[in-house]
């Protein structure tokens, strides 16, 4: 056989092997905190039921796939007549970090409008959840639904990596996870250099709710980034709300030593009780060791984009406190 025939045979053999090599399955199985779901790869019509899941979609750069959005804080007053979020409600908030131009509002994150969701014909629904949260069976009958609980270890990293696998964005997910760690490491060095840990080796994160109690966060909500910056826990709590913290008494707060930094981290929107807390007898007693850190409007409690912003924003506030 001459050289030309040999080359032709080799090319045909390679082509045949390529044609018979297995293709990735059209769907994949995802184990999440509410069960197991068969999800099509690279879905085109996605609904997120809260800002937490929205942040993961934004971090992966696939917000152009969003056809529906639920929320913990948006109301009908924030919507256009056709059910989209008003541009002025998006500008200057966390919502502006991605593309919501195709997303219809589907209601409150705990009680979404199932008829609206069905009409949008999603091929994936993603939500934050907790024990006792409803509608999972109904949502799953409409489209594969993934739910992730704040109280579980690695909460947002698990959700982000699952979605990255679904969208084929694994490297992007690992890059943003690494960026979170690098940001905390850099900011921790700045705090160390400024002598912050000599004055405040410990810290607590408290969240005053308007008309309600003050919560001590022990998991997920800002506290994990506070630890990554280099602070030790200033208080333990056995009480639990949604697995991330519990109500803390005035007496417990007043008993905090002077070397514990009190980080007031209020909820957003109408729930924000920070000013009432700071003006209270407890707030006044603790003012010399207190900083107020407020997230950008419409921000999730946690997530990669949130951690990057919160780490740097909180570091700036603390450095201003001790200078």
């Amino acid at each position: 056989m001459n050289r030309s025939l040999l080359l032709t045979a080799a090319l045909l053999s390679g082509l045949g092997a390529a044609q018979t090599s297995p293709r990735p399955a059209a769907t994949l199985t995802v184990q999440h905190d509410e069960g197991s779901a068969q999800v099509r790869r690279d879905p085109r019509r996605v609904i997120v039921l809260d800002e937490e899941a929205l942040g993961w979609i934004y971090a992966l750069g696939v917000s152009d796939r969003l056809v529906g959005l639920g929320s913990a804080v948006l109301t009908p007053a924030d919507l256009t007549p056709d059910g989209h979020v008003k541009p002025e409600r998006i500008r200057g908030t966390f919502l502006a970090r991605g593309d919501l131009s195709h997303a219809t509002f589907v209601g409150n994150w705990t009680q979404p409008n199932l008829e609206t969701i069905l009409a949008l014909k999603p091929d994936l629904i993603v939500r934050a959840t907790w024990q006792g949260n409803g509608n999972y069976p109904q949502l799953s009958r409409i489209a594969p639904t993934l739910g992730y609980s704040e109280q579980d270890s690695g909460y947002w990293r698990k959700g982000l990596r699952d979605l990255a696998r679904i969208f084929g964005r694994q490297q992007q997910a690992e890059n943003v996870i690494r960026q979170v760690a690098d940001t905390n490491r850099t900011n921790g060095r700045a705090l160390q250099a400024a002598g912050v840990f000599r004055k405040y080796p410990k810290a607590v994160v408290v969240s005053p709710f308007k008309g309600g109690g003050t919560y001590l966060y022990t998991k997920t909500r800002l506290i994990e980034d506070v630890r990554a910056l280099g602070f030790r826990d200033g208080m333990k709590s056995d009480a639990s709300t949604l697995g991330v913290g519990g109500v803390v008494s005035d007496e417990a707060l007043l008993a905090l030593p002077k070397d514990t930094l009190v980080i007031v981290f209020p909820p957003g929107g109408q729930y924000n009780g920070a000013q009432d807390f700071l003006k209270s007898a407890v707030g006044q007693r603790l003012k010399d060791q207190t900083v107020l850190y407020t997230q950008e409007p419409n921000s999730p409690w946690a997530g990669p984009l949130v951690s990057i912003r919160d780490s740097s924003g909180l570091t700036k506030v603390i450095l201003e406190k001790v200078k």
Side-chain angles (χ1 to χ4, degrees):
M1 186 178 293
N2 62 33
R3 180 179 178 83
S4 177
L5 290 175
L6 285 171
L7 287 173
T8 301
L11 287 171
L12 290 174
S13 175
L15 180 60
Q19 289 175 336
T20 58
S21 61
R23 295 181 178 179
T27 63
L28 49 84
T29 302
V30 179
Q31 303 291 336
H32 56 97
D33 292 334
E34 296 191 274
S36 175
Q38 285 292 123
V39 183
R40 62 169 285 189
R41 293 181 182 273
D42 204 23
R44 313 305 296 185
R45 300 181 63 80
V46 181
I47 291 176
V48 293
L49 293 185
D50 45 72
E51 287 80 5
E52 308 293 321
L54 178 67
W56 307 339
I57 293 293
Y58 278 3
L60 293 175
V62 290
S63 59
D64 59 325
R65 316 289 181 88
L66 290 170
V67 296
L69 168 68
S71 173
V73 294
L74 292 174
T75 69
D78 300 315
L79 309 178
T80 63
D82 62 353
H84 292 75
V85 183
K86 291 177 179 177
E88 60 268 27
R89 191 66 173 84
I90 295 175
R91 283 193 297 270
T93 77
F94 183 86
L95 301 180
R97 292 176 176 240
D99 180 7
L100 290 179
S101 60
H102 307 295
T104 298
F105 185 64
V106 300
N108 183 276
W109 70 302
T110 59
Q111 295 178 315
N113 188 313
L114 297 176
E115 291 184 1
T116 300
I117 292 173
L118 179 62
L120 290 172
K121 300 179 179 178
D123 43 26
L124 177 64
I125 301 169
V126 190
R127 71 175 186 172
T129 190
W130 67 95
Q131 186 175 1
N133 192 13
N135 293 313
Y136 180 73
Q138 296 92 323
L139 291 167
S140 295
R141 284 195 286 270
I142 296 173
T145 300
L146 308 179
Y148 296 92
S149 170
E150 277 187 293
Q151 68 186 38
D152 285 357
S153 178
Y155 163 60
W156 64 257
R157 290 170 179 81
K158 167 75 165 116
L160 183 71
R161 283 177 167 138
D162 282 351
L163 290 177
R165 191 159 58 98
I166 291 166
F167 287 103
R169 303 286 178 107
Q170 292 95 325
Q171 189 57 58
Q172 186 162 340
E174 296 310 313
N175 288 343
V176 75
I177 290 171
R178 190 177 306 112
Q179 187 179 355
V180 171
D182 290 345
T183 300
N184 278 324
R185 192 177 302 111
T186 298
N187 288 327
R189 291 191 189 114
L191 294 172
Q192 179 73 40
V196 171
F197 300 126
R198 289 195 298 273
K199 186 172 184 178
Y200 299 117
K202 296 176 288 186
V204 295
V205 176
V206 298
S207 186
F209 278 69
K210 189 81 171 178
T214 299
Y215 288 80
L216 172 73
Y217 288 136
T218 56
K219 189 181 293 186
T220 304
R221 299 184 178 184
L222 190 63
I223 186 61
E224 292 182 1
D225 290 310
V226 169
R227 292 169 183 147
L229 287 171
F231 291 98
R232 302 197 307 272
D233 287 353
M235 186 186 298
K236 303 294 184 183
S237 174
D238 295 328
S240 179
T241 301
L242 303 184
V244 298
V247 175
V248 60
S249 69
D250 290 350
E251 292 76 16
L253 290 173
L254 290 171
L256 286 171
K258 298 294 185 183
D259 68 349
T260 299
L261 183 67
V262 179
I263 302 168
V264 176
F265 180 57
Q270 69 269 32
Y271 306 107
N272 188 335
Q275 292 307 313
D276 291 341
F277 174 83
L278 295 172
K279 293 175 183 177
S280 70
V282 176
Q284 288 296 297
R285 285 273 301 276
L286 295 172
K287 65 180 181 179
D288 291 339
Q289 64 195 93
T290 295
V291 295
L292 171 65
Y293 179 69
T294 304
Q295 292 183 308
E296 61 188 323
N298 292 106
S299 176
W301 283 109
L305 302 182
V306 175
S307 281
I308 291 167
R309 181 187 186 275
D310 286 354
S311 176
S312 297
L314 179 60
T315 297
K316 180 179 179 181
V317 168
I318 295 172
L319 290 175
E320 289 174 351
K321 175 77 174 178
V322 301
K323 69 180 179 181

